[in-house]
Amino acid sequence: MRTKLFAVAVAALFAASPALAQQKLKIGFITTLSGPLGVIGKHMKDSVELALDHLNRKVGGLETEVVYGDDQAKPDVGLQVAKEMMQKDNVDIVAGIIWSNVMLAVVPAVTETGRIMVGTNAGASPLAGAQCNERYFSTSWNNDQSPEALGKYMQDQGINDVYVLAPNYQAGKDMVAGFKRYYKGRIVDEVYTRFGQTDYQAEITQLRSKSPKAVFVFYPGGMGIQFLKQYSEAGLRGTYPLYSVFTVDEISIPAIKHAALGQYEARFWSPDLKVPASQKYVADFQKKYGHLPVFYGAQSYDGILLIDSAVRAVKGKVKDTKGMIAAMRKANYDSIRGKFTFNVNHHPIQNFYLLKAVAGPAGKDPVLEIQQTVFKNHKDAYYKDCKMKW
Amino acid sequence: MRAHAQLIFWAVLVAALALLPPVVGVLHEPFYVELVRRVMIFAIAAASLNLILGYGGLVSFGHAAYLGIGGYAVGILSFYGMNSGWLQWPVAIGASALVALAIGAVSIRASGMYFIMITLAFTQMLYYLGISIEEFGGDDGMRIKTRSQFSGLIDLADPVASYYLVLVLMFGTIYLVHRIARSRFGMVLRAAKSNEARSRAIGFSPYSYRLCAFTIAGALCGLAGALLANHTAYITPDFMHWTRSGEIMFMVILGGVASSAGPLLGALVLLVFETLLAGWTEHWQVILGPLLVLSVIFFRTGLAGIIPGAGDE
Amino acid sequence: MPPLTLVFEQLLNGVQFGVMLFLMAAGLTLVFGIMNFVNLAHGSFYMIGAYLTLAAVQWSGNYIAGVVLGLAGTLLVGMLVEVVALRTLYARDHLDHVLATFGLILFFNELVAIIWGRTLLDFPRPEWLRGHVEIFAGSRYPFYRAVVILVGLAVGAGLWYVVTRTRLGMLIRAGASNRTMIAALGVNVRLLYTVVFGFGCALAGLAGLMAGPIYAVLPGMGEMILIQVFVVIVIGGLGSIRGAFVGALLVGIVDTLGRAFLRPLLATMISPTAADSAGPALASMLIYLLMALVLAVRPEGLFPSRGR
């Protein structure tokens, strides 16, 4: 008797969510919201909210609810959040995710339930290659495409004697591999630093002793801010030009300010991109939140628009997975990157640009400005490993 | 009377956990099977830590290392195409035991704060090792494509079947730790905790007893690691992050040090609470933090001390 | 750059990193030596020092005034935390200390994120702290880092003076060896503890505010350095200021030289590709290996404090 009562109590405790109305679309959006890395997640969440505003809170014409989940940048937590969304909140589609490791853990779990997953940042190469999946779409890029573009640019410029620095983890090595795929000149030295390192003075001293012609780095998040501050503190800004990927962006510039000036980056998008959909997104984002958006946000905004286009195409029949996939493959919407097509592996074929940090409006922080197009309609290096047939 | 209360407590606990899958199945809330399975895996890790921390007084701040080793054992073997659980799990347990033996042999000579820090340092080393091994994904970790195979006896990809397997293993672990703590071996361990000099005086050298307990705890936590790897189908160096060691430690304290039910209660309350809070506000840590402090200050007996029948003796 | 200059400059880098570690370690080891209290949340005061100073500099428009206000603020926050939360825990075992202060870490990181946001903040350094010094021909050492070294050494000397030559230092040493005795002699031990704790926090705050312009100011910045600080005090011997100083310099120099020279050194012994993968991994583990080595030889650290 006691046991039974207890079981009923447990059941009552757990039965919190009410039954769903059918005319509704539920999207689960996973990103990192807590902890020091939550700043990126905030940009993504804000951009999703902006997309919902633009769509009058109706994605594909359906009443929409977005459930946000915090993965704490941990794969197992991300997986748990995804399962909670699918099993408890009954979301129809899962989207988001910043980190490759979280993505690699979550994608199989989502797609094996028959749901569609839209990745809006992490670009793990296995998902573009051998592990590609018909229910997984990306509105971002593959990790090493940006360094490929930078490598191509530096190769074209005939820059020689490059010093390479990156954190000692998978993405760091991927970035350097991508760089070297297109840059064929001399590399003075290739140095991997501890992941999460804060002081780079020792590495900077080593670098100076080698007198390279240029420096290529990949230092995402806090590591980049620390590296750049110390780099310009050491007075190397004017001496050895610095080229980077995923190091300087609209999140880090407010923290480094003038130390960013003169920095080269490569990317598929920048707030100054002259594409109407992008300009609308940037203007309204600034109006709503008072600061510039960053590519993490742009991709997330784009992800919601992609879902919107597909749900419209299937007339709200979200459960029609085949129809959804076919509609998504058309990429029939006004993307922030302009018109583009999906490759066979469901990753965009898109342009990559060279960006430079230049002085912003008087009294304001520097801004990134597009200098030139490095790649037109660039495909990632892995799609040939993807066995998907359209 | 107390024995009676204990019996009721454990009966209710076992029944509630055993009945969970059918109940949430009826309610169409399968997520709770996932959540509670995760809770029970961490309860195994916490129970293993309780053996050395609760009964042995060895405050290991690096227990997550064995979670990682157990997980990586499964992941690495599966990477090389060896998916048999009959092979993977014993390797996970054995490798964890070996590493624990090595770490213990060096650390146990240190005491107090030194012991806390040296166990932390060893786990940090393993964490950095995990990050720098590219073959197994480095920092990204590695997906486990096929879960451990047990000659078709049980399908770990089936949430309910694996739930019951974890359930059985968890109660098995709790019972094993309970038996060890009350054996002659456990008596020596506990005696050395309360008074090292006296236990030396009566002729026991605590070192070998502690090392043995440390190794057993590592082995049991390695099992939890193998289960966690099968639960997430993914392994990452994050299993070994120092905050993870802190969480496991907190489960033991919250539940009640040196009590059999403590680790399970602590894991249950912490993880369920974390999930609820995180769903409510992204600033959940600002609430969880002070609660940890308050529970340490005012809640010395842990949950096992306030729930009738949950305490021991 | 001649090789000798390079080695010298790397040594200087090591000393500078060591000095930062020392400022953190001094407060931690002081609190441990006297109250026998383990404070995992020490890194939070490093963070609080940086944030409060940044806010005060922006508010007052003056760097020095900001530093003074920031340090005073950190001292007050530290004393407040001691009175509200930690005081009752002194009599408990280390386990309770670790857990309660683990909770404080979560709290402070999130609180800072709520107040200042999660964005990394720029901590500008005043004009007069920019530029370089040429210690000898060909070396360009950032002036700010040179100042950090000097401040750290000055604080170290000051601490030595306070602890060994003043009445307060006498009370501190007495309190460390026999609490009951000095309480019986009419010393307000509670107040003494609160002051010492606040003082230790202010030292961490000093490290934080000096780190601000070099590193980034962000929630959780304290935990990035905390583990290394623990390694320092364990190597040095818990409770010993002298040990913290020696340990900090040792860790700073070993870590820096390891990062700079380990990989090239390995490359002369094993194949360059093997060195490329082993070098960085080994460099990150070096200080932990150092600690294991020291503890294997001297289980109580280099300078075990007496009476414990």
Side-chain angles (χ1 to χ4, degrees):
Chain A
M1 189 58 208
R2 240 169 207 254
T3 317
K4 221 176 193 172
L5 265 178
F6 190 76
V8 172
V10 167
L13 183 72
F14 284 172
S17 62
L20 285 167
Q22 273 304 306
Q23 298 306 314
K24 228 175 139 184
L25 176 69
K26 268 196 168 188
I27 300 174
F29 194 85
I30 302 173
T31 184
T32 307
L33 293 167
S34 61
L37 298 160
V39 58
I40 302 176
K42 178 89 168 57
H43 269 269
M44 292 169 74
K45 185 178 172 184
D46 285 350
S47 296
V48 169
E49 286 296 314
L50 186 65
L52 293 177
D53 289 351
H54 283 173
L55 299 167
N56 292 321
R57 322 282 314 169
K58 284 190 171 162
V59 174
L62 300 180
E63 201 62 49
T64 303
E65 184 190 341
V66 176
V67 182
Y68 294 97
D70 177 13
D71 60 24
Q72 301 173 34
K74 295 177 190 158
D76 57 325
V77 177
L79 192 66
Q80 195 201 335
V81 167
K83 286 184 172 168
E84 181 175 358
M85 284 174 167
M86 293 188 288
Q87 299 176 352
K88 186 156 148 270
D89 300 314
N90 293 306
V91 299
D92 302 290
I93 294 171
V94 179
I97 303 192
I98 306 175
W99 315 103
S100 300
N101 52 0
V102 181
M103 189 72 96
L104 285 166
V106 169
V107 168
V110 172
T111 52
E112 76 190 9
T113 66
R115 289 179 176 83
I116 285 175
M117 166 99 212
V118 177
T120 70
N121 187 62
S125 45
L127 287 171
Q131 291 179 31
C132 69
N133 189 309
E134 61 169 5
R135 298 189 203 95
Y136 171 68
F137 285 82
S138 165
T139 58
S140 56
W141 22 259
N142 193 67
N143 269 348
D144 55 14
Q145 284 183 290
S146 296
E148 280 176 1
L150 206 57
K152 168 92 163 40
Y153 172 77
M154 291 174 78
Q155 177 71 17
D156 292 350
Q157 296 295 305
I159 297 169
N160 227 332
D161 294 325
V162 176
Y163 198 93
V164 174
L165 276 161
N168 188 27
Y169 75 125
Q170 197 52 45
K173 291 179 177 160
D174 289 350
M175 295 293 166
V176 175
F179 174 74
K180 291 203 282 196
R181 198 170 293 136
Y182 284 84
Y183 172 76
K184 298 297 175 197
R186 261 194 310 278
I187 289 181
V188 181
D189 205 355
E190 199 178 306
V191 175
Y192 293 97
T193 53
R194 186 171 61 233
F195 182 76
Q197 187 169 318
T198 48
D199 196 343
Y200 295 91
Q201 186 64 20
E203 286 77 14
I204 288 170
T205 304
Q206 287 304 105
L207 185 159
R208 254 181 50 221
S209 75
K210 295 274 173 71
S211 308
K213 291 283 184 310
V215 180
F216 168 78
V217 302
F218 160 65
Y219 278 121
M223 288 186 278
I225 291 168
Q226 284 146 354
F227 179 81
L228 289 171
K229 279 177 128 184
Q230 294 164 27
Y231 194 79
S232 57
E233 175 204 36
L236 302 188
R237 214 10 130 181
T239 325
Y240 313 120
L242 192 53
Y243 297 81
S244 65
V245 287
F246 303 109
T247 303
V248 171
D249 58 33
E250 288 72 21
I251 292 177
S252 65
I253 285 178
I256 45 179
K257 302 196 191 291
H258 68 279
L261 281 174
Q263 179 82 19
Y264 291 98
E265 276 269 340
R267 199 164 295 152
F268 80 105
W269 179 86
S270 175
D272 66 331
L273 185 66
K274 301 279 180 291
V275 165
S278 170
Q279 286 167 326
K280 179 182 174 202
Y281 161 69
V282 174
D284 290 351
F285 188 96
Q286 277 185 293
K287 209 181 294 162
K288 188 167 179 188
Y289 303 108
H291 55 87
L292 274 174
V294 66
F295 61 94
Y296 299 104
Q299 295 151 192
S300 304
Y301 176 87
D302 220 46
I304 299 299
L305 295 194
L306 170 67
I307 295 172
D308 175 69
S309 73
V311 177
R312 264 177 224 287
V314 297
K315 305 206 164 42
K317 281 183 245 130
V318 186
K319 297 275 184 288
D320 172 14
T321 311
K322 280 214 156 36
M324 284 288 287
I325 293 171
M328 282 198 164
R329 281 175 173 170
K330 294 195 180 94
N332 185 20
Y333 68 105
D334 289 327
S335 168
I336 46 91
R337 76 203 82 205
K339 193 70 201 149
F340 79 101
T341 52
F342 275 114
N343 203 343
V344 283
N345 59 2
H346 293 179
H347 283 60
I349 300 174
Q350 58 193 338
N351 296 351
F352 281 81
Y353 309 99
L354 180 78
L355 275 51
K356 188 179 182 184
V358 297
K364 292 273 179 63
D365 295 337
V367 290
L368 286 166
E369 202 179 78
I370 294 177
Q371 304 295 308
Q372 64 176 83
T373 309
V374 181
F375 282 128
K376 266 195 126 43
N377 300 329
H378 186 49
K379 296 174 179 174
D380 60 70
Y382 303 93
Y383 74 93
K384 290 198 179 94
D385 299 332
C386 172
K387 300 279 176 279
M388 212 168 0
K389 293 277 174 291
W390 281 31
Chain B
M1 189 58 213
R2 288 207 68 147
H4 188 62
Q6 266 185 359
L7 200 64
I8 293 174
F9 170 79
W10 285 101
V12 170
L13 198 61
V14 172
L17 287 173
L19 288 176
L20 182 80
V23 170
V24 299
V26 170
L27 296 168
H28 301 290
E29 291 282 1
F31 167 68
Y32 293 104
V33 173
E34 294 282 338
L35 179 65
V36 176
R37 192 172 68 188
R38 190 174 139 85
V39 165
M40 292 193 299
I41 292 170
F42 275 95
I44 295 177
S48 73
L49 179 63
N50 195 27
L51 175 65
I52 49 174
L53 189 154
Y55 300 109
L58 298 169
V59 184
S60 166
F61 201 174
H63 211 58
Y66 315 107
L67 217 49
I69 292 166
Y72 269 88
V74 170
I76 291 171
L77 287 173
S78 141
F79 180 79
Y80 291 113
M82 289 173 268
N83 291 318
S84 164
W86 304 117
L87 172 71
Q88 286 179 345
W89 292 25
V91 169
I93 294 168
S96 303
L98 272 179
V99 174
L101 182 68
I103 293 181
V106 181
S107 320
I108 289 172
R109 295 193 191 282
S111 61
M113 195 44 202
Y114 290 97
F115 181 78
I116 298 180
M117 297 320 301
I118 199 167
T119 46
L120 172 64
F122 276 116
T123 305
Q124 283 294 102
M125 282 195 253
L126 288 170
Y127 173 74
Y128 284 119
L129 187 70
I131 281 188
S132 46
I133 301 180
E134 261 179 86
E135 284 79 2
F136 309 123
D139 176 63
D140 274 356
M142 184 169 67
R143 192 183 154 207
I144 297 173
K145 287 204 191 87
T146 316
R147 291 183 169 87
S148 303
Q149 302 293 313
F150 284 94
S151 330
L153 282 180
I154 184 166
D155 178 13
L156 292 182
D158 174 0
V160 174
S162 63
Y163 176 93
Y164 283 112
L165 179 68
V166 173
L167 180 85
V168 169
L169 289 173
M170 181 196 67
F171 280 116
T173 306
I174 290 177
Y175 183 69
L176 183 66
V177 171
H178 176 87
R179 293 302 310 171
I180 292 175
R182 275 146 198 84
S183 67
R184 180 177 167 279
F185 172 80
M187 291 298 177
V188 176
L189 205 60
R190 291 201 270 176
K193 177 194 176 188
S194 54
N195 193 332
E196 182 163 346
R198 186 175 300 166
S199 66
R200 275 183 199 286
I202 54 173
F204 291 109
S205 154
Y207 179 80
S208 48
Y209 285 87
R210 283 180 175 157
L211 184 58
C212 187
F214 196 84
T215 308
I216 296 171
L220 288 174
C221 193
L223 173 67
L227 290 171
L228 190 62
N230 275 292
H231 172 75
T232 56
Y234 204 86
I235 48 163
T236 130
D238 220 72
F239 280 14
M240 299 183 275
H241 198 261
W242 70 275
T243 51
R244 188 81 57 156
S245 299
E247 277 172 31
I248 301 173
M249 205 151 118
F250 186 69
M251 289 168 189
V252 176
I253 312 297
L254 183 67
V257 173
S259 73
S260 300
L264 173 58
L265 294 174
L268 186 70
V269 169
L270 186 69
L271 291 177
V272 169
F273 199 67
E274 226 180 75
T275 309
L276 288 179
L277 270 187
W280 181 51
T281 165
E282 65 181 83
H283 297 299
W284 55 274
Q285 288 175 335
V286 90
I287 300 166
L288 185 67
L291 284 177
L292 295 194
V293 179
L294 288 176
S295 72
V296 171
I297 296 178
F298 295 111
F299 204 48
R300 300 194 60 177
T301 51
L303 292 164
I306 54 161
I307 298 175
D312 300 83
E313 275 105 337
Chain C
M1 197 186 298
L4 209 61
T5 316
L6 180 64
V7 172
F8 177 77
E9 228 186 281
Q10 293 294 21
L11 270 176
L12 215 54
N13 290 334
V15 170
Q16 184 261 318
F17 182 43
V19 157
M20 299 285 273
L21 290 174
F22 168 66
L23 289 179
M24 286 281 285
L28 197 58
T29 208
L30 205 61
V31 167
F32 185 86
I34 295 163
M35 286 92 109
N36 195 12
F37 184 76
V38 184
N39 184 13
L40 274 195
H42 201 62
S44 299
F45 296 100
Y46 171 85
M47 172 180 74
I48 290 167
Y51 271 99
L52 286 182
T53 307
L54 180 57
V57 168
Q58 281 166 349
W59 175 74
S60 68
N62 181 308
Y63 183 73
I64 297 290
V67 167
V68 172
L69 286 174
L71 282 179
T74 315
L75 181 87
L76 283 177
V77 174
M79 285 167 49
L80 191 70
V81 168
E82 198 268 354
V83 170
V84 172
L86 304 180
R87 173 175 277 185
T88 50
L89 294 174
Y90 291 151
R92 309 279 191 83
D93 59 14
H94 291 158
L95 188 60
D96 287 359
H97 303 166
V98 167
L99 285 165
T101 53
F102 185 69
L104 284 180
I105 293 179
L106 298 182
F107 173 73
F108 279 120
N109 282 347
E110 206 56 42
L111 186 69
V112 162
I114 291 171
I115 299 175
W116 282 282
R118 291 187 206 283
T119 323
L120 298 113
L121 299 180
D122 179 43
F123 195 136
R125 89 197 74 171
E127 207 53 56
W128 52 273
L129 280 176
R130 294 183 187 178
H132 297 84
V133 282
E134 194 165 326
I135 297 174
F136 52 81
S139 85
R140 268 165 61 84
Y141 203 70
F143 181 57
Y144 185 82
R145 287 184 188 250
V147 171
V148 168
I149 295 178
L150 291 179
V151 170
L153 295 179
V155 169
L159 263 180
W160 171 82
Y161 181 79
V162 169
V163 172
T164 57
R165 294 284 184 274
T166 63
R167 186 178 152 74
L168 177 67
M170 192 188 71
L171 289 178
I172 287 173
R173 279 176 294 139
S177 43
N178 196 331
R179 180 192 168 147
T180 343
M181 184 62 86
I182 67 160
L185 291 173
V187 176
N188 187 341
V189 179
R190 283 193 138 196
L191 183 67
L192 179 72
Y193 281 11
T194 308
V195 169
V196 169
F197 190 88
F199 187 63
C201 294
L203 281 178
L206 178 63
L209 74 90
M210 289 203 301
I214 310 180
Y215 312 144
V217 178
L218 76 162
M221 64 190 274
E223 279 65 69
M224 296 176 180
I225 190 172
L226 180 76
I227 307 261
Q228 287 146 320
V229 172
F230 273 108
V231 171
V232 165
I233 63 169
V234 167
I235 287 178
L238 293 165
S240 159
I241 300 267
R242 188 168 46 149
F245 188 75
V246 175
L249 290 187
L250 208 57
V251 167
I253 290 171
V254 165
D255 187 63
T256 305
L257 295 190
R259 273 154 47 202
F261 300 122
L262 194 62
R263 190 181 53 102
L265 199 70
L266 280 177
T268 63
M269 292 183 264
I270 53 178
S271 79
T273 27
D276 274 351
S277 56
L282 205 57
S284 356
M285 291 185 223
L286 211 54
I287 60 168
Y288 302 107
L289 288 172
L290 177 73
M291 173 167 134
L293 194 74
V294 168
L295 288 189
V297 182
R298 297 181 71 112
E300 301 251 285
L302 294 176
F303 298 93
S305 54
R306 279 152 301 174
R308 196 168 297 285

